[in-house]
Amino acid sequence: MKSVIMKIGRNKLYPYICVLLVTLAFLATNPLTNFEWRYLLSYFGAVCGLICVILLAKGKNSGNFFGMLAAFGEMSGNFLGRNVGAALPSIYYFVTHIFGLVTWRKHMSVNQTLEPRKLTERHFGIAILFIVGASFVNMFLTGILGVVNDPYQLMLNNFIFALGVTAQFLMITRFSFNWYLWIIMNILVISLNIYTKNPIIATQYAIYLFNAVYGLLEWHEAEKKRVLSVQ
């Protein structure tokens, strides 16, 4: 299974297939006869986001630039769909991608791919606290903004917000553990957008889910190569 995932992720056609799938999801909304801004902005964010995560999984710093564009599109689409928990992290993502664009340059290997780090017990404890704190922040902001969510939607938005901001922090600081959190978060976002009827973002995050598994394998392999080079 590992070799199959790596083979697909490294295939030159993989990015094009991902964009094609999201485009088909966008066309399924009948944009010419039933136009909605949230779908168009979601589509823009989805395409940029796919390019972003594919590049980041490969350890390419250029992924941070596309991440900034994706954050804008996803934030707009989710706000229009009243998914506050899924929208607010995009503001944070935008800022962190700027930080990543600058700092990753200092930690690139000879072939210009990122050198990831392993998570320590101390960092794991901080990540758990970050998740708990972020969940309460989302509940507070949802109340302040007066957004009406049913209990199921509110619960999913809380976890999405908390896992998203934590995973993004771990990614920008080069910890490979970030991909585990992305895997969980992607499953929740797919569920939420099926529930709120946004097929574009649901399709986008289904691809993200696969890419998170691929990114995890790539970063772990890069970790092993780094250890062997030091020895």
Side-chain angles (χ1 to χ4, degrees):
M1 181 61 72
K2 177 182 175 180
S3 60
V4 173
I5 293 173
M6 295 286 279
K7 189 173 182 179
I8 293 173
R10 290 175 174 176
N11 192 290
K12 293 181 179 179
L13 293 177
Y14 173 58
Y16 299 101
I17 294 172
C18 292
V19 172
L20 175 62
L21 291 173
V22 170
T23 301
L24 291 175
F26 175 63
L27 294 176
T29 67
N30 296 315
L32 297 179
T33 58
N34 188 31
F35 178 79
E36 286 192 38
W37 275 106
R38 75 176 179 127
Y39 290 143
L40 180 61
L41 290 168
S42 294
Y43 176 66
F44 171 77
V47 172
C48 292
L50 289 171
I51 298 172
C52 164
V53 297
I54 290 170
L55 290 172
L56 292 178
K58 296 177 182 295
K60 301 295 184 181
N61 196 16
S62 54
N64 283 302
F65 171 74
F66 284 97
M68 293 163 61
L69 298 177
F72 171 77
E74 289 185 31
M75 175 186 63
S76 303
N78 274 308
F79 264 128
L80 291 175
R82 300 199 304 176
N83 292 327
V84 177
L88 290 176
S90 296
I91 302 173
Y92 166 76
Y93 295 161
F94 186 90
V95 175
T96 54
H97 278 304
I98 296 175
F99 179 78
L101 198 61
V102 175
T103 60
W104 277 28
R105 295 176 184 174
K106 304 173 184 177
H107 304 283
M108 306 298 283
S109 64
V110 178
N111 61 349
Q112 290 303 299
T113 56
L114 186 70
E115 296 180 335
R117 296 193 290 170
K118 284 189 176 181
L119 195 74
T120 64
E121 291 183 5
R122 174 174 168 272
H123 289 119
F124 180 76
I126 293 173
I128 295 298
L129 293 176
F130 210 75
I131 290 173
V132 174
S135 181
F136 282 107
V137 168
N138 180 66
M139 291 181 66
F140 174 74
L141 291 175
T142 301
I144 291 294
L145 294 173
V147 177
V148 179
N149 283 170
D150 60 43
Y152 178 73
Q153 194 174 2
L154 179 62
M155 178 185 68
L156 283 180
N157 271 306
N158 281 339
F159 280 115
I160 288 168
F161 180 86
L163 289 171
V165 296
T166 306
Q168 181 73 1
F169 173 77
L170 292 175
M171 172 182 281
I172 296 303
T173 50
R174 302 182 296 115
F175 289 108
S176 57
F177 185 80
N178 80 87
W179 294 110
Y180 289 108
L181 299 186
W182 284 127
I183 289 170
I184 299 171
M185 196 211 77
N186 289 332
I187 293 172
L188 296 180
V189 175
I190 294 167
S191 302
L192 178 63
N193 280 281
I194 290 175
Y195 184 69
T196 57
K197 300 178 181 179
N198 191 335
I200 301 169
I201 294 184
T203 303
Q204 174 190 2
Y205 276 83
I207 299 170
Y208 279 3
L209 178 59
F210 171 84
N211 198 74
V213 177
Y214 166 62
L216 178 66
L217 296 176
E218 281 283 16
W219 283 39
H220 276 332
E221 187 167 303
E223 277 182 8
K224 292 177 183 177
K225 287 180 180 178
R226 187 182 180 189
V227 172
L228 290 173
S229 65
V230 172
Q231 293 175 347

